[in-house]
Amino acid sequence: MLTTTTDIQIRFGDIDMLRHVNNVNLQHYFDLGKSEFFAALLGVRQRGEGTELITASTATSYLRQTRYEERIFVETSVERIGHKSFGLF
C-alpha cells in the first residue's frame, strides 16, 4: 500500500504568542500531505488535470501541541476503500 511522507516547514506566521502552531495551520499541513499523496498515486499536482476529487469530511485528534522549533512531517496512506469513496489516514 502506498504511503507518502511530506516534510513540513513551519512558518513564523503559523504560530501564536506561545510558539504553538495554530490548529488551523495543522489542517493546511494535512492538505499538503494529501496533495503529495495524490501526486504520487495519480500524478495529479493541481486541479484541472483530469481528475477531480473532493474532501467530504475531516477529523483530527490532537495528541499534543506542535511547537515552532519542532521538525514535523505528514504521513498519508489509504485507510479504507469503498465503492464510491475512500478514506485517507
Side-chain angles (χ1 to χ4, degrees), residues 13-56:
D14 294 348
I15 61 169
D16 61 18
M17 295 291 286
L18 299 174
R19 299 177 70 86
H20 303 127
V21 175
N22 184 292
N23 289 349
V24 171
N25 290 310
L26 293 174
Q27 294 300 318
H28 294 292
Y29 302 161
F30 299 152
D31 285 341
L32 289 171
K34 180 176 65 174
S35 295
E36 288 296 316
F37 180 82
F38 290 142
L41 181 67
L42 304 172
V44 176
R45 283 247 171 240
Q46 59 189 353
R47 289 179 173 244
E49 290 188 8
T51 304
E52 294 297 327
L53 301 168
I54 62 166
T55 300

